[in-house]
Amino acid sequence: EAGVAQSPRYKIIEKRQSVAFWCNPISGHATLYWYQQILGQGPKLLIQFQNNGVVDDSQLPKDRFSAERLKGVDSTLKIQPAKLEDSAVYLCASRTGSEQFFGPGTRLTVL
Amino acid sequence: GEDVEQSLFLSVREGDSSVINCTYTDSSSTYLYWYKQEPGAGLQLLTYIFSNMDMKQDQRLTVLLNKKDKHLSLRIADTQTGDSAIYFCAETGARFGAGTRLTVKP
């Protein structure tokens, strides 16, 4: 069974630029999560989707971050414009039943 | 502070047992999880426990849950150098602790 796929794996941008991350969850997993993991910290939930509906986006900085999952499968997370403090690893995860599986993450560096 | 709290560091000798502790706040969590993260790698689900259980054993791993005190622990028996990593506990609601860095000395 293929795992959660994410791209790109690494991205370097300058502040005030825009960036987008892509996630393809495990086939059949209805629940999809985006997390931000800053160096030295635990993952912080940004948004949770159930199919193509948003379940929890309470910690998403909506002035600059947006996410969508139009067909209930793939998802994109966008940051516009980026700030220095957005430098982090962005993790996508999908879930079925009790088990949640993480992708390898996208490491974002904002200069 | 963090909704899910863990001590930041633990150091043990190879062959000893390791116990990593966690306190959480969401009493409605259906499942509680332990993840392992090695340097530069993604998060690996180690084990999880259903909230109506108080213990779960899986090979060298033992999870204890005290629901009254909202306390979760992970015991690793016969700890090996390959167990050196950061261990995160997490609630069902996708809230993670800051992680405990386990160092195993030969």
Side-chain angles (χ1 to χ4, degrees), chain A:
Chain A
E1 180 181 80
V4 177
Q6 291 188 247
S7 68
R9 292 295 310 278
Y10 304 92
K11 190 73 178 178
I12 301 173
I13 61 172
E14 295 188 347
K15 61 182 179 183
R16 292 188 289 273
Q17 286 188 319
S18 301
V19 65
F21 313 126
W22 174 83
C23 173
N24 182 254
I26 294 172
S27 177
H29 284 198
T31 310
L32 184 148
Y33 307 81
W34 282 103
Y35 294 86
Q36 179 193 60
Q37 187 176 21
I38 291 172
L39 188 64
Q41 299 181 18
K44 171 188 157 186
L45 178 67
L46 293 175
I47 190 165
Q48 177 185 344
F49 291 96
Q50 182 72 17
N51 296 307
N52 61 351
V54 175
V55 172
D56 183 356
D57 64 356
S58 57
Q59 298 191 92
L60 186 74
K62 297 180 187 65
D63 57 335
R64 297 185 301 107
F65 286 63
S66 64
E68 59 183 13
R69 193 184 185 200
L70 292 175
K71 296 182 180 177
V73 180
D74 293 6
S75 177
T76 55
L77 175 70
K78 295 179 182 176
I79 307 175
Q80 181 179 8
K83 293 185 176 182
L84 297 177
E85 59 261 35
D86 298 331
S87 293
V89 175
Y90 290 84
L91 297 164
C92 179
S94 69
R95 177 175 170 163
T96 182
S98 57
E99 297 192 23
Q100 184 177 32
F101 299 89
F102 281 81
T106 296
R107 183 177 296 276
L108 173 68
T109 302
V110 182
L111 303 175

